[in-house]
Amino acid sequence: MRAGTGLRPLIPLLVCGVMAATAGCGGSTDEQGGESLELETKWHDRISEAVNAKPDGCKAGVGGACETHAAAVHAITERLHKEVEARPDKDRYQATLDGTTAINEQYDQYFTELCATVPETTVDAATTQKFNTCSGLYTSIITGASDLQNNLRPSE
């Protein structure tokens, strides 16, 4: 367990304790705690670790090392997507589903473009265009996963 994460489950209790003195506190499935933090608690660090595990050989979003990194991030977000799809309240997690769907589509295109074979140094217009496409897709996958960490709570 990382330093500072041990108190994370207690935050809803602290918020409820302070709010109880004024307006009261809702049940365990409201936005104050309980199920509303379930996905965030389970997936936030997993996504963060996958995003931050960028191999040394991945510098420009192309090549085998970047493809491996993109695949690892995609695997995490794909598992998250399947978990949310199986929830009875999945409609409350539309932002999460939209984010994971976008990452899935970008990864499919990244893989289809054979970005692992694109060199970091380009010598012609076609290779430069492919480099730009692959680099942009890689950036979108990684940025999308980072943004997904902010969309793990249900909507109203």
Side-chain angles (χ1 to χ4, degrees):
M1 180 180 285
R2 291 188 345 224
T5 60
L7 294 178
R8 181 178 253 171
L10 297 177
I11 292 173
L13 296 174
L14 295 173
V15 170
C16 285
V18 170
M19 290 181 64
T22 56
C25 196
S28 66
T29 60
D30 67 1
E31 276 63 45
Q32 303 296 309
E35 289 180 19
S36 68
L37 296 178
E38 178 184 341
L39 284 181
E40 184 175 28
T41 299
K42 182 174 181 179
W43 290 98
H44 189 276
D45 288 345
R46 291 178 185 186
I47 295 168
S48 180
E49 288 168 7
V51 167
N52 292 329
K54 182 177 177 181
D56 291 337
C58 178
K59 302 206 182 326
V62 296
C66 291
E67 183 179 50
T68 299
H69 186 223
V73 170
H74 172 255
I76 292 291
T77 60
E78 189 173 44
R79 287 195 307 248
L80 169 61
H81 185 90
K82 287 177 182 176
E83 183 174 317
V84 172
E85 277 291 327
R87 293 179 65 96
D89 62 344
K90 68 182 178 183
D91 56 317
R92 295 181 67 209
Y93 292 91
Q94 193 58 50
T96 304
L97 291 172
D98 291 346
T100 57
T101 298
I103 291 167
N104 187 51
E105 291 169 358
Q106 292 158 349
Y107 179 75
D108 285 349
Q109 186 178 355
Y110 186 87
F111 189 77
T112 301
E113 293 283 337
L114 302 174
C115 293
T117 64
V118 177
E120 287 186 17
T121 305
T122 61
V123 293
D124 58 40
T127 308
T128 299
Q129 179 59 42
K130 189 152 188 146
F131 171 88
N132 289 337
T133 298
C134 289
S135 182
L137 286 167
Y138 174 81
T139 300
S140 295
I141 292 165
I142 303 306
T143 302
S146 292
D147 292 346
L148 190 58
Q149 292 174 295
N150 297 321
N151 290 320
L152 295 173
R153 291 187 181 192
S155 60
E156 297 285 327

